[in-house]
Amino acid sequence: MYKQKMIYFGGDYNPEQWDEETIRKDMELFKKAHVNLVVLPVFGWAKLEPEEGVYDFDWLCRIVDMLWENGIRVLMATPTTAQPAWMSKKYPEVLPVDIKGRKRTHGMRVFFCHNSKKYRERAAALAEEMASRFASHPALAGWHVANEYGTYCYCPTCQAKFREWLKKKYKTPEGLNEAWNLAFWGRQIYSFEEMELPTELNDDYRFYPPIQQDYLKFTTDSVIECFENEYRVLKKYTPDLPVMTNMSGYIKKLDQFELCKHLDVVGWDNYPWPFEDRSLAALKHDIMRGLKQGQSYWVTEQSPNQQNWQPYNVLKRPGEIRRLAYQGLAHGADTALFFQMRQSAAGQEKFHGAMISHAGHENTRIFREMTRMGEELEKLGDRLVGARTRSKVGLIFDWHNWWAVELCSGPSKDLQYLPQVQKYYKAFYEKNIPVDILRYDQDLSGYDLILTPCLYQMRGDLGERIKTYVKNGGTLLTSVFSGIARENDRVILGGYPGGLREVLGIWIEETDALPPHMNNRMRMVKGTGFPEEAYDCSMLYDLIHPEGAETLAVYEREFYAGMPCATVNAYGKGKAYYVGTDPEQSFIDALAERICGEAGLCPPIPAPEGVECTRRDTKDRSFYFIINHRQDPAKVSLPEGLACAFTGEPRQGEQELAAGDVWILEKKNQE
Ligand code: GLA
Ligand code: ZN
């Protein structure tokens, strides 16, 4: 397999928008900034294939040669995200139908049906043309298929394929009726032909959850097929080069664990909102590292400056792009790629930041900041590539559960999966305790602590595996609206939380869901050692009967005042914590503090609040990333044997890290 020889630095470049002279100038600027890789031609299909089967590759070949003459590699994009207008016109089946039943017309990107035969045929033919031309080009570093897949389609082709998909899964209409409990509202079918795609034409806002969930699985499968349609062709020509696609930062729409099984390397586009909590970007990075069980991943896009599509497009503050890019490296990325290299002169994204701005030269703040990074990353060479994160905390993250929680009619419209996960993740992130994101069926045994926030739907034998894990000495922390349903969104009967009742040692009789202005308080039971006596809690309130569990906190108000809302249960050699409401962050932080103490979890290097610290290891080296997110300098006490990974200068003892600054420190480990 291809060995990545450097941290890739560069990003999307759209030379099809520029003349020769500008392109020549760009080469100079790329060299100045130490760019080592560009992604192109993401939107070049219409230029490469002006009419069906007629190809014009000369311009692209010239640019790829020019890049290589300047020592720059290419992550070659099959530009299949935006089919040419002639194709939509000639083969209208290529265009998607939306959830409202509207047949879309040509004009937008990612505006094609994943299941369209014609689309797949033409996309594979284009991939073949590209691969046959560039397979042996020395600049080629890998393939980037399409761009941010994920348009839902409800066209007749998808309708027919969905029926086939259901038939394969459920065999008979009776099997389907049973699995989905279609006796509800008399929806039974007697032939698969009677099954419609879930659109706004046949359903209202209370979409029938199992149909929706299967539609989302079906869409994931369709996208996988669509990706593989090109993957197969590309691999035939370049079996050793990585083939991937860049996933959108908005990650709910496809089961990315499933999709990523089919990619050689995970790629994602990181666009944090300017004012969001920094733990969210960290969580997303960790999710990406989790998608291939800890394998390092690529950040394929991030913005070198403000975006154009946010309501307020805040400039990136001095040092911010470096801090965000290095946060990626800190969590497991092997690239720092940006959208985009040169800012477009027109079009929707003309005001989207770029390394080369409309000014067109290098005398800009952003160009200087990019150049500094380019120089630094060049000095890292390939030493960091493939380094792994070691973690004793695992967090189970499941797309099917995400869909199920948010498709659910009740108990509260405010319940969203990602914010719940983020709260529990944040408590450990702020303490710099590394967290691995785990697939629902991954082995739990190597972890000291497993987090399963809001794990409403328990798939497969997860419930049993959690029991075994705790019995053998593991610690579990789970939270409200967990363990309630199994696959196909069927409630586990016999008392909540069915799937976790035994291990948690509780029975939840009912769950109250109050509007935001009616929140409650949780009072800590004396002697539990929590810093505060009481905390706010909101949204959901389980009415818990302990069945062996110890009560940590009780409600202060409502008719269930005095009933438990947080518990811990000794089970086998381990213990299982439960939080039956949505507490304020400081409670979760205090709980995390207690659990870290019990389980002996510590950060790679102790650091003050607001300073992020992670570690990645290769066979013979450890890399420490220390990121000061604060507005003021921070003191960090460094262990012996560390040196700046860029300059080799030793760094140990008490050191001051400037506001917003990042250190990447390296330590050689004894063989
Ligand atoms: C996405 C796309 C890019 C570009 C950027 C702008 O991630 O993949 O083509 O539109 O957003 O932020
Ligand atoms: Zn379709």
mmCIF file with all atom_site columns, all heavy atoms in Angstrom, residues 334-346:
data_model
loop_
_atom_site.group_PDB
_atom_site.id
_atom_site.type_symbol
_atom_site.label_atom_id
_atom_site.label_alt_id
_atom_site.label_comp_id
_atom_site.label_asym_id
_atom_site.label_entity_id
_atom_site.label_seq_id
_atom_site.pdbx_PDB_ins_code
_atom_site.Cartn_x
_atom_site.Cartn_y
_atom_site.Cartn_z
_atom_site.occupancy
_atom_site.B_iso_or_equiv
_atom_site.pdbx_formal_charge
_atom_site.auth_seq_id
_atom_site.auth_comp_id
_atom_site.auth_asym_id
_atom_site.auth_atom_id
_atom_site.pdbx_PDB_model_num
ATOM 1   N N   . ASP A 1 334 ? -3.995  13.381 9.275   1.00 0.00 ? 334 ASP A N   1
ATOM 2   C CA  . ASP A 1 334 ? -2.682  13.369 8.635   1.00 0.00 ? 334 ASP A CA  1
ATOM 3   C C   . ASP A 1 334 ? -2.613  14.401 7.504   1.00 0.00 ? 334 ASP A C   1
ATOM 4   O O   . ASP A 1 334 ? -1.765  14.279 6.609   1.00 0.00 ? 334 ASP A O   1
ATOM 5   C CB  . ASP A 1 334 ? -2.377  11.967 8.073   1.00 0.00 ? 334 ASP A CB  1
ATOM 6   C CG  . ASP A 1 334 ? -1.844  11.027 9.160   1.00 0.00 ? 334 ASP A CG  1
ATOM 7   O OD1 . ASP A 1 334 ? -1.524  11.517 10.261  1.00 0.00 ? 334 ASP A OD1 1
ATOM 8   O OD2 . ASP A 1 334 ? -1.755  9.812  8.895   1.00 0.00 ? 334 ASP A OD2 1
ATOM 9   N N   . THR A 1 335 ? -3.527  15.347 7.509   1.00 0.00 ? 335 THR A N   1
ATOM 10  C CA  . THR A 1 335 ? -3.518  16.401 6.486   1.00 0.00 ? 335 THR A CA  1
ATOM 11  C C   . THR A 1 335 ? -3.937  17.719 7.117   1.00 0.00 ? 335 THR A C   1
ATOM 12  O O   . THR A 1 335 ? -4.572  17.737 8.171   1.00 0.00 ? 335 THR A O   1
ATOM 13  C CB  . THR A 1 335 ? -4.563  16.131 5.376   1.00 0.00 ? 335 THR A CB  1
ATOM 14  O OG1 . THR A 1 335 ? -5.868  16.225 5.966   1.00 0.00 ? 335 THR A OG1 1
ATOM 15  C CG2 . THR A 1 335 ? -4.394  14.798 4.703   1.00 0.00 ? 335 THR A CG2 1
ATOM 16  N N   . ALA A 1 336 ? -3.600  18.796 6.430   1.00 0.00 ? 336 ALA A N   1
ATOM 17  C CA  . ALA A 1 336 ? -4.181  20.106 6.737   1.00 0.00 ? 336 ALA A CA  1
ATOM 18  C C   . ALA A 1 336 ? -4.553  20.687 5.382   1.00 0.00 ? 336 ALA A C   1
ATOM 19  O O   . ALA A 1 336 ? -3.782  21.407 4.760   1.00 0.00 ? 336 ALA A O   1
ATOM 20  C CB  . ALA A 1 336 ? -3.175  20.975 7.466   1.00 0.00 ? 336 ALA A CB  1
ATOM 21  N N   . LEU A 1 337 ? -5.731  20.279 4.887   1.00 0.00 ? 337 LEU A N   1
ATOM 22  C CA  . LEU A 1 337 ? -6.164  20.726 3.561   1.00 0.00 ? 337 LEU A CA  1
ATOM 23  C C   . LEU A 1 337 ? -7.268  21.761 3.706   1.00 0.00 ? 337 LEU A C   1
ATOM 24  O O   . LEU A 1 337 ? -8.067  21.699 4.644   1.00 0.00 ? 337 LEU A O   1
ATOM 25  C CB  . LEU A 1 337 ? -6.655  19.533 2.732   1.00 0.00 ? 337 LEU A CB  1
ATOM 26  C CG  . LEU A 1 337 ? -5.603  18.453 2.448   1.00 0.00 ? 337 LEU A CG  1
ATOM 27  C CD1 . LEU A 1 337 ? -6.223  17.266 1.717   1.00 0.00 ? 337 LEU A CD1 1
ATOM 28  C CD2 . LEU A 1 337 ? -4.447  19.032 1.631   1.00 0.00 ? 337 LEU A CD2 1
ATOM 29  N N   . PHE A 1 338 ? -7.292  22.670 2.760   1.00 0.00 ? 338 PHE A N   1
ATOM 30  C CA  . PHE A 1 338 ? -8.192  23.816 2.863   1.00 0.00 ? 338 PHE A CA  1
ATOM 31  C C   . PHE A 1 338 ? -9.046  23.962 1.614   1.00 0.00 ? 338 PHE A C   1
ATOM 32  O O   . PHE A 1 338 ? -8.613  23.662 0.516   1.00 0.00 ? 338 PHE A O   1
ATOM 33  C CB  . PHE A 1 338 ? -7.370  25.102 3.041   1.00 0.00 ? 338 PHE A CB  1
ATOM 34  C CG  . PHE A 1 338 ? -6.673  25.155 4.371   1.00 0.00 ? 338 PHE A CG  1
ATOM 35  C CD1 . PHE A 1 338 ? -5.476  24.476 4.570   1.00 0.00 ? 338 PHE A CD1 1
ATOM 36  C CD2 . PHE A 1 338 ? -7.233  25.836 5.428   1.00 0.00 ? 338 PHE A CD2 1
ATOM 37  C CE1 . PHE A 1 338 ? -4.845  24.499 5.806   1.00 0.00 ? 338 PHE A CE1 1
ATOM 38  C CE2 . PHE A 1 338 ? -6.609  25.866 6.669   1.00 0.00 ? 338 PHE A CE2 1
ATOM 39  C CZ  . PHE A 1 338 ? -5.415  25.200 6.857   1.00 0.00 ? 338 PHE A CZ  1
ATOM 40  N N   . PHE A 1 339 ? -10.250 24.468 1.827   1.00 0.00 ? 339 PHE A N   1
ATOM 41  C CA  . PHE A 1 339 ? -11.023 24.984 0.717   1.00 0.00 ? 339 PHE A CA  1
ATOM 42  C C   . PHE A 1 339 ? -10.931 26.483 0.854   1.00 0.00 ? 339 PHE A C   1
ATOM 43  O O   . PHE A 1 339 ? -11.484 27.037 1.788   1.00 0.00 ? 339 PHE A O   1
ATOM 44  C CB  . PHE A 1 339 ? -12.488 24.538 0.775   1.00 0.00 ? 339 PHE A CB  1
ATOM 45  C CG  . PHE A 1 339 ? -13.266 25.088 -0.391  1.00 0.00 ? 339 PHE A CG  1
ATOM 46  C CD1 . PHE A 1 339 ? -13.367 24.386 -1.562  1.00 0.00 ? 339 PHE A CD1 1
ATOM 47  C CD2 . PHE A 1 339 ? -13.834 26.355 -0.311  1.00 0.00 ? 339 PHE A CD2 1
ATOM 48  C CE1 . PHE A 1 339 ? -14.038 24.926 -2.651  1.00 0.00 ? 339 PHE A CE1 1
ATOM 49  C CE2 . PHE A 1 339 ? -14.489 26.888 -1.406  1.00 0.00 ? 339 PHE A CE2 1
ATOM 50  C CZ  . PHE A 1 339 ? -14.597 26.177 -2.567  1.00 0.00 ? 339 PHE A CZ  1
ATOM 51  N N   . GLN A 1 340 ? -10.194 27.171 0.058   1.00 0.00 ? 340 GLN A N   1
ATOM 52  C CA  . GLN A 1 340 ? -9.665  26.826 -1.222  1.00 0.00 ? 340 GLN A CA  1
ATOM 53  C C   . GLN A 1 340 ? -8.359  27.546 -1.420  1.00 0.00 ? 340 GLN A C   1
ATOM 54  O O   . GLN A 1 340 ? -7.976  28.382 -0.626  1.00 0.00 ? 340 GLN A O   1
ATOM 55  C CB  . GLN A 1 340 ? -10.662 27.234 -2.314  1.00 0.00 ? 340 GLN A CB  1
ATOM 56  C CG  . GLN A 1 340 ? -10.996 28.719 -2.133  1.00 0.00 ? 340 GLN A CG  1
ATOM 57  C CD  . GLN A 1 340 ? -12.233 29.170 -2.891  1.00 0.00 ? 340 GLN A CD  1
ATOM 58  O OE1 . GLN A 1 340 ? -12.586 28.646 -3.924  1.00 0.00 ? 340 GLN A OE1 1
ATOM 59  N NE2 . GLN A 1 340 ? -12.885 30.184 -2.377  1.00 0.00 ? 340 GLN A NE2 1
ATOM 60  N N   . MET A 1 341 ? -7.666  27.222 -2.519  1.00 0.00 ? 341 MET A N   1
ATOM 61  C CA  . MET A 1 341 ? -6.364  27.828 -2.757  1.00 0.00 ? 341 MET A CA  1
ATOM 62  C C   . MET A 1 341 ? -6.512  29.237 -3.325  1.00 0.00 ? 341 MET A C   1
ATOM 63  O O   . MET A 1 341 ? -5.832  30.148 -2.929  1.00 0.00 ? 341 MET A O   1
ATOM 64  C CB  . MET A 1 341 ? -5.557  26.947 -3.725  1.00 0.00 ? 341 MET A CB  1
ATOM 65  C CG  . MET A 1 341 ? -5.190  25.582 -3.157  1.00 0.00 ? 341 MET A CG  1
ATOM 66  S SD  . MET A 1 341 ? -3.966  25.685 -1.816  1.00 0.00 ? 341 MET A SD  1
ATOM 67  C CE  . MET A 1 341 ? -4.980  25.793 -0.376  1.00 0.00 ? 341 MET A CE  1
ATOM 68  N N   . ARG A 1 342 ? -7.389  29.402 -4.307  1.00 0.00 ? 342 ARG A N   1
ATOM 69  C CA  . ARG A 1 342 ? -7.592  30.752 -4.875  1.00 0.00 ? 342 ARG A CA  1
ATOM 70  C C   . ARG A 1 342 ? -9.077  31.093 -4.859  1.00 0.00 ? 342 ARG A C   1
ATOM 71  O O   . ARG A 1 342 ? -9.917  30.272 -5.230  1.00 0.00 ? 342 ARG A O   1
ATOM 72  C CB  . ARG A 1 342 ? -7.044  30.831 -6.303  1.00 0.00 ? 342 ARG A CB  1
ATOM 73  C CG  . ARG A 1 342 ? -7.233  32.210 -6.938  1.00 0.00 ? 342 ARG A CG  1
ATOM 74  C CD  . ARG A 1 342 ? -6.688  32.281 -8.351  1.00 0.00 ? 342 ARG A CD  1
ATOM 75  N NE  . ARG A 1 342 ? -5.288  32.678 -8.411  1.00 0.00 ? 342 ARG A NE  1
ATOM 76  C CZ  . ARG A 1 342 ? -4.863  33.949 -8.365  1.00 0.00 ? 342 ARG A CZ  1
ATOM 77  N NH1 . ARG A 1 342 ? -5.713  34.945 -8.223  1.00 0.00 ? 342 ARG A NH1 1
ATOM 78  N NH2 . ARG A 1 342 ? -3.570  34.204 -8.469  1.00 0.00 ? 342 ARG A NH2 1
ATOM 79  N N   . GLN A 1 343 ? -9.350  32.292 -4.420  1.00 0.00 ? 343 GLN A N   1
ATOM 80  C CA  . GLN A 1 343 ? -10.733 32.753 -4.271  1.00 0.00 ? 343 GLN A CA  1
ATOM 81  C C   . GLN A 1 343 ? -11.379 33.000 -5.645  1.00 0.00 ? 343 GLN A C   1
ATOM 82  O O   . GLN A 1 343 ? -10.776 33.656 -6.499  1.00 0.00 ? 343 GLN A O   1
ATOM 83  C CB  . GLN A 1 343 ? -10.686 34.071 -3.486  1.00 0.00 ? 343 GLN A CB  1
ATOM 84  C CG  . GLN A 1 343 ? -12.007 34.524 -2.954  1.00 0.00 ? 343 GLN A CG  1
ATOM 85  C CD  . GLN A 1 343 ? -11.832 35.635 -1.911  1.00 0.00 ? 343 GLN A CD  1
ATOM 86  O OE1 . GLN A 1 343 ? -10.822 36.336 -1.900  1.00 0.00 ? 343 GLN A OE1 1
ATOM 87  N NE2 . GLN A 1 343 ? -12.817 35.792 -1.050  1.00 0.00 ? 343 GLN A NE2 1
ATOM 88  N N   . SER A 1 344 ? -12.584 32.487 -5.845  1.00 0.00 ? 344 SER A N   1
ATOM 89  C CA  . SER A 1 344 ? -13.273 32.643 -7.137  1.00 0.00 ? 344 SER A CA  1
ATOM 90  C C   . SER A 1 344 ? -13.618 34.105 -7.406  1.00 0.00 ? 344 SER A C   1
ATOM 91  O O   . SER A 1 344 ? -13.904 34.861 -6.475  1.00 0.00 ? 344 SER A O   1
ATOM 92  C CB  . SER A 1 344 ? -14.591 31.865 -7.146  1.00 0.00 ? 344 SER A CB  1
ATOM 93  O OG  . SER A 1 344 ? -14.350 30.534 -6.836  1.00 0.00 ? 344 SER A OG  1
ATOM 94  N N   . ALA A 1 345 ? -13.642 34.443 -8.686  1.00 0.00 ? 345 ALA A N   1
ATOM 95  C CA  . ALA A 1 345 ? -13.956 35.830 -9.064  1.00 0.00 ? 345 ALA A CA  1
ATOM 96  C C   . ALA A 1 345 ? -15.462 36.065 -9.080  1.00 0.00 ? 345 ALA A C   1
ATOM 97  O O   . ALA A 1 345 ? -15.921 37.203 -9.013  1.00 0.00 ? 345 ALA A O   1
ATOM 98  C CB  . ALA A 1 345 ? -13.369 36.138 -10.433 1.00 0.00 ? 345 ALA A CB  1
ATOM 99  N N   . ALA A 1 346 ? -16.222 34.987 -9.196  1.00 0.00 ? 346 ALA A N   1
ATOM 100 C CA  . ALA A 1 346 ? -17.683 35.129 -9.247  1.00 0.00 ? 346 ALA A CA  1
ATOM 101 C C   . ALA A 1 346 ? -18.306 33.824 -8.774  1.00 0.00 ? 346 ALA A C   1
ATOM 102 O O   . ALA A 1 346 ? -17.596 32.863 -8.489  1.00 0.00 ? 346 ALA A O   1
ATOM 103 C CB  . ALA A 1 346 ? -18.126 35.445 -10.672 1.00 0.00 ? 346 ALA A CB  1
#
